[in-house]
Amino acid sequence: MNIAPKSSFVLSMRHLLGIEGLSRADISGLLDLAEEFVELNRQVEKKRTSLRGRTQINLFFEVSTRTQASFELAGKRLGADVMNMSTSSSSMRKGETLIDTAITLNAMHPDIIVVRHHASGAVELLARKVDCSVINAGDGAHEHPTQALLDALTIRRNKGDLEGLTVAICGDILHSRVARSNIILLNTMGARVRVVAPSTLLPPGIERFGVEVTRDMREGLAGADIVMMLRLQRERMNGSYVPSMSEYFHYYGLDEKKLSYAKPDAMVMHPGPMNRGVEIDSIVADGVHSLIREQVEMGVAVRMAVLEALSRNLPNA
Amino acid sequence: MLSDRRPILLANAQIVDPSRDLDMQGDLLIADGVIRETKRGIGAAGVPEGTEAIDCRGKLVAPGLVDMRAFIGEPGAASRETFASASQAAAAGGVTTIICQPDTSPAIDDPATVDFVLRRARDTAIVHVHPMAAITKGLEGKEMTEIGLLKAAGAVAFTDGDKSVTNAQVMRRVLTYAGDFDALIVHHTEDPDLVADGVMNEGEFAARLGLLGIPKTAETIMLERDLRLVALTGGRYHAASVTCGESLEVLRRAKDAGLNVTAAASINHITLNENDIGPYRTFLKVTPPLRAEDDRKLLVEAVANGLIDAVMSDHNPQDVETKRLPFAEAAPGAIGLETMLTAGLRLVHNEEIGLMALLRAMSTRPAELLGLSGGTLRAGAPADVIVVDPDLPWVLDPAELKSKCKNTPFDEARLTGRVVRTIVAGRTVYEYV
């Protein structure tokens, strides 16, 4: 069974560098297209041919398992030739600059480059130096657009619509690109966003992002439809941002008690990889309210949708 | 280099001399490397034979600028900038005296290096160059340099460049000892622990870009500490680059208390704000970082009323390798010798500041602070003079810049007003044609 997608949505831009700049219609269009791929991915025959002949390079300057695997599968299922490059094997280790790497890869005529980099703005910098489409797979603490899209798809499938929902994003907002992309997307789609974190993990100026800010999980989760937990890096819990893992878990770790402050049908999300017992209790992570595994599934579908929608814009498409 | 040393008559100009609050239409006569007189209608009869008369109708004549803070790559980083290239840039920008910074490689922290710099500049530069020497050996913030000998060798002031002396005891001793030699201590005030991994001004904009912020407090806390040490020691102190309203309050209190304290702001901080960074433009990454528009306005006001004594270029050439990087990884710094006056004229055209106040902060005051003879058009002063067409519109093309590096925040900016002639010690060293 290999029918053409019903949605003919085209993303009217060359790159996907962030959620910033996407309209409500863009986001809905991508999510609708992704829905079709969810169905496709559940079939035995998952292959499409829309990216046949296209070359996709996954350029990861920062280690990633799930995002890279997800983009690789997405590209392959659409028929693209996918090449993975990561820092451990690339010449970045030999001192080549980001721009030189971009120019080198550009000379090989890829159609799409998927980039993750540890520095905010690095993907945009690279995009200016290449002729192909660039997809941001996470840049520093700036944006991670496909994560926000997969989160939105997951929420939409479980709650019907994003508009009017209350979403609590909890944890290390300061260092999180996931939080930034989600805040922008959820605001665009008419959801009500709260951020919950200790003050040391909130970026100064966050109150001007159109979100409600609180330092208290009970207050932040009250009446929430969605509780979105963020990963806290281990090096940030040794006294630099929070005093200890156990104090952090005590006040901000999502356990059943804290989850009970949210709506009875509230759902729990986490972009992964999880620190069980730090920001989330295993009982909650694996419980009936958890959407964490579904998020991973939606990840592949959303990335297929992004690749498909951008490729419809490529020359000779 | 034009080496004509005939007498020069700059005729029918608007003469602006902040050293005596003079703003008049008239003529200025230069001979033998010094200013002879300024008055209305000197005329052909009143000039020596062979005088080159230049009609300056519609133009300004002012003292050449004295730039208190410019990084030049000699010794150690000649690929970034040499005295020759920096002085060409300076001449094109109306800067007749450059004060070069000691954060070179090796650092300018002993008399022999001061001597090297002075000789090298004398042989290759077309404007005056004076070095500042380091406050501490190797700019390490630990042991004070030979302040007496360095001053005797020609160091006009002492600074650790863009490093702060974090140890308060070291700073106390430096201020105390420097006082014995009437040496000026120029300090970059940023607490490095509060700066930490920050790369731009802390606030909403940094949060949106996903960049770690530098709080204004990092600057103000260090300035406050310094000013209390000045009160304790009685030294002569100059804050190298203040950037925010909170620092101005601290500075105001110290000045009102009669402390021997002065301050400068960079041309970047009085003409640009954090929003100009836009999509991660690394040419606008400077140290301290560009602040919000409110702070910029307060700085301009402080320059206008004299709370901020001097405006400097903070010229810091960075090449492609250190700038074409993600924002957090790019080196801070912007070139400014060539654009400081024209950028400042923007403020004059926008009626944010008067011409006299701007020129005073760029010439007269820095010369006074450093004990130099420039910054004035008084008869008998060295003939370091600029002619400016204040209304000339132009677009900055980085390729035309004289500096070796092109990291200008005014890349392709539309500007109004530029230097059309620069005279150093009576010689025309730059002419815009």
Side-chain angles (χ1 to χ4, degrees):
Chain A
M1 209 170 104
N2 196 356
I3 47 161
K6 287 175 287 236
S7 163
S8 56
F9 175 73
V10 179
L11 203 52
S12 59
M13 48 187 76
R14 184 147 69 98
H15 311 299
L16 180 67
L17 300 176
I19 297 295
E20 178 104 68
L22 292 185
S23 67
R24 200 169 170 141
D26 289 335
I27 293 165
S28 294
L30 282 170
L31 297 182
D32 293 343
L33 183 56
E35 289 280 6
E36 296 178 27
F37 291 119
V38 175
E39 298 313 310
L40 179 78
N41 286 336
R42 288 177 177 178
Q43 294 166 20
V44 176
E45 170 61 60
K46 303 176 180 66
K47 285 283 259 190
R48 278 283 169 79
T49 56
S50 46
L51 262 67
R52 190 161 63 194
R54 301 290 188 191
T55 302
Q56 172 190 335
I57 299 178
N58 295 336
L59 179 60
F60 278 63
F61 294 96
E62 200 181 67
V63 216
S64 153
T65 315
R66 77 183 62 205
T67 307
Q68 187 164 348
S70 184
F71 268 111
E72 182 176 355
L73 272 180
K76 285 181 171 167
R77 285 182 184 169
L78 293 173
D81 294 316
V82 183
M83 185 179 92
N84 287 315
M85 284 183 69
S86 53
T87 29
S88 51
S89 59
S90 84
S91 52
M92 284 299 288
R93 278 276 163 94
K94 298 172 198 159
E96 190 177 68
T97 66
L98 173 68
I99 290 190
D100 287 333
T101 305
I103 291 168
T104 304
L105 292 179
N106 192 48
M108 299 177 189
H109 299 292
D111 299 285
I112 295 172
I113 303 183
V114 178
V115 189
R116 168 167 291 186
H117 197 281
H118 49 81
S120 300
V123 178
E124 192 168 326
L125 179 64
L126 183 139
R128 273 185 256 145
K129 305 291 170 185
V130 297
D131 304 312
C132 64
S133 285
V134 172
I135 299 173
N136 183 357
D139 65 321
H142 180 223
E143 282 234 43
H144 191 355
T146 58
Q147 179 70 44
L149 288 164
L150 75 88
D151 289 341
L153 182 62
T154 310
I155 296 171
R156 205 173 77 163
R157 286 172 64 91
N158 284 275
K159 296 288 179 187
D161 193 359
L162 293 160
E163 176 136 27
L165 292 179
T166 298
V167 181
I169 306 177
C170 314
D172 186 359
I173 312 287
L174 177 64
H175 299 95
S176 178
R177 53 196 174 215
V178 175
R180 279 175 186 71
S181 289
N182 264 309
I183 290 169
I184 301 167
L185 185 146
L186 292 166
N187 274 334
T188 307
M189 302 307 281
R192 184 172 162 200
V193 185
R194 289 189 196 144
V195 296
V196 192
S199 295
T200 45
L201 293 175
L202 286 169
I206 184 73
E207 60 289 340
R208 297 174 71 174
F209 278 53
V211 297
E212 296 165 43
V213 184
T214 169
R215 283 81 180 165
D216 178 67
M217 285 290 269
R218 183 170 198 149
E219 190 187 321
L221 266 53
D225 297 284
I226 298 289
V227 181
M228 205 180 263
M229 301 307 296
L230 298 173
R231 179 182 168 80
L232 180 65
Q233 305 278 5
R234 285 183 181 273
E235 65 268 23
R236 293 179 186 138
M237 18 175 154
N238 56 9
S240 55
Y241 287 89
V242 293
S244 71
M245 199 185 291
S246 54
E247 177 154 328
Y248 185 74
F249 185 75
H250 181 78
Y251 289 105
Y252 295 97
L254 187 67
D255 53 16
E256 286 185 299
K257 177 142 192 292
K258 294 195 194 84
L259 183 56
S260 73
Y261 305 141
K263 279 191 183 161
D265 63 346
M267 304 303 274
V268 176
M269 302 173 74
H270 192 296
M274 283 183 281
N275 287 312
R276 290 168 183 267
V278 178
E279 69 262 357
I280 191 163
D281 194 88
S282 278
I283 295 169
V284 174
D286 304 327
V288 290
H289 294 278
S290 173
L291 294 175
I292 297 169
R293 257 181 300 173
E294 188 173 337
Q295 285 174 272
V296 179
E297 184 189 356
M298 294 309 117
V300 180
V302 151
R303 285 163 185 135
M304 289 170 80
V306 168
L307 289 167
E308 173 90 31
L310 282 177
S311 72
R312 287 173 179 170
N313 247 349
L314 288 172
N316 312 317
Chain B
M1 176 169 156
L2 312 167
S3 58
D4 194 344
R5 206 148 179 208
R6 281 189 298 164
I8 300 173
L9 180 72
L10 301 174
N12 309 312
Q14 181 189 349
I15 297 173
V16 181
D17 181 4
S19 73
R20 44 190 166 137
D21 272 315
L22 178 80
D23 187 343
M24 63 172 270
Q25 288 297 129
D27 309 335
L28 181 142
L29 178 64
I30 294 166
D32 303 320
V34 298
I35 293 165
R36 281 296 165 82
E37 60 176 333
T38 43
K39 69 174 188 192
R40 193 183 289 271
I42 291 176
V47 300
E49 200 170 328
T51 296
E52 179 188 9
I54 298 158
D55 185 23
C56 296
R57 216 172 293 267
K59 310 229 169 40
L60 302 172
V61 165
L65 309 188
V66 177
D67 181 13
M68 285 190 78
R69 193 172 172 87
F71 177 87
I72 297 173
E74 290 189 83
S79 65
R80 279 165 62 194
E81 199 81 284
T82 59
F83 289 113
S85 61
S87 69
Q88 297 281 348
V95 175
T96 52
T97 301
I98 301 174
I99 311 302
C100 65
Q101 298 297 293
D103 46 345
T104 45
S105 180
I108 304 176
D109 63 357
D110 65 24
T113 315
V114 170
D115 191 50
F116 164 81
V117 165
L118 288 172
R119 277 185 291 115
R120 184 83 186 139
R122 182 198 62 203
D123 294 346
T124 60
I126 58 170
V127 303
H128 306 293
V129 177
H130 300 279
M132 284 191 194
I135 297 173
T136 62
K137 290 175 189 161
L139 311 166
E140 284 177 351
K142 292 175 190 156
E143 301 162 40
M144 74 171 94
T145 52
E146 297 167 326
I147 290 173
L149 293 174
L150 284 161
K151 191 176 180 202
V156 291
F158 295 81
T159 182
D160 273 359
D162 61 9
K163 279 184 158 178
S164 295
V165 177
T166 52
N167 186 320
Q169 178 69 287
V170 171
M171 197 58 170
R172 177 189 179 174
R173 295 235 168 90
V174 163
L175 284 164
T176 306
Y177 187 82
D180 293 349
F181 293 91
D182 194 31
L184 179 67
I185 300 299
V186 178
H187 198 217
H188 178 91
T189 50
E190 264 195 320
D191 182 319
D193 293 320
L194 282 172
V195 171
D197 296 324
V199 293
M200 70 172 286
N201 186 38
E202 184 171 284
E204 182 194 356
F205 198 55
R208 287 196 187 278
L209 289 172
L211 296 171
L212 288 175
I214 300 172
K216 292 187 276 188
T217 307
E219 170 181 315
T220 309
I221 210 166
M222 183 67 84
L223 181 64
E224 177 94 58
R225 180 207 74 172
D226 284 355
L227 297 179
R228 283 174 190 273
L229 291 174
V230 173
L232 183 68
T233 60
R236 205 149 69 83
Y237 177 90
H238 176 81
S241 180
V242 295
T243 67
C244 62
E246 289 82 346
S247 293
L248 295 175
E249 285 171 28
V250 174
L251 191 62
R252 167 57 69 202
R253 259 188 304 181
K255 284 195 168 188
D256 287 349
L259 298 184
N260 207 339
V261 165
T262 54
S266 88
I267 187 66
N268 302 316
H269 291 95
I270 67 168
T271 57
L272 303 164
N273 68 37
E274 59 179 354
N275 293 303
D276 291 305
I277 290 168
Y280 303 98
R281 291 176 62 203
T282 58
F283 285 4
L284 287 107
K285 182 179 180 183
V286 293
T287 181
L290 295 177
R291 304 292 185 189
E293 176 65 5
D294 291 351
D295 286 308
R296 187 196 68 79
K297 283 187 180 151
L298 290 171
L299 290 180
V300 176
E301 199 184 298
V303 174
N305 67 29
L307 176 58
I308 291 176
D309 298 84
V311 169
M312 45 76 187
S313 73
D314 207 8
H315 184 80
N316 185 346
Q318 294 287 342
D319 51 29
V320 170
E321 282 70 36
T322 51
K323 278 292 188 187
R324 264 201 342 183
L325 292 170
F327 196 86
E329 294 166 12
I335 56 169
L337 280 168
E338 221 162 327
T339 47
M340 68 185 287
L341 181 61
T342 188
L345 286 174
R346 243 190 202 180
L347 303 177
V348 175
H349 288 296
N350 293 343
E351 295 179 353
E352 291 185 63
I353 192 172
L355 184 62
M356 185 75 77
L358 180 75
L359 291 173
R360 176 179 289 116
M362 287 184 172
S363 62
T364 308
R365 279 302 280 152
E368 285 168 3
L369 299 184
L370 298 164
L372 298 171
S373 51
T376 176
L377 297 178
R378 282 177 200 278
D384 299 339
V385 180
I386 54 175
V387 182
V388 180
D389 182 341
D391 301 313
L392 188 72
W394 59 297
V395 176
L396 189 132
D397 175 359
E400 286 176 10
L401 291 172
K402 312 268 192 258
S403 181
K404 281 194 159 190
C405 293
K406 312 297 178 194
N407 55 310
T408 170
F410 300 100
D411 206 351
E412 288 170 20
R414 282 166 208 285
L415 300 159
T416 305
R418 72 180 293 161
V419 174
V420 293
R421 180 183 294 266
T422 301
I423 298 166
V424 174
R427 282 197 181 93
T428 297
V429 295
Y430 171 80
E431 210 180 329
Y432 175 71
V433 278

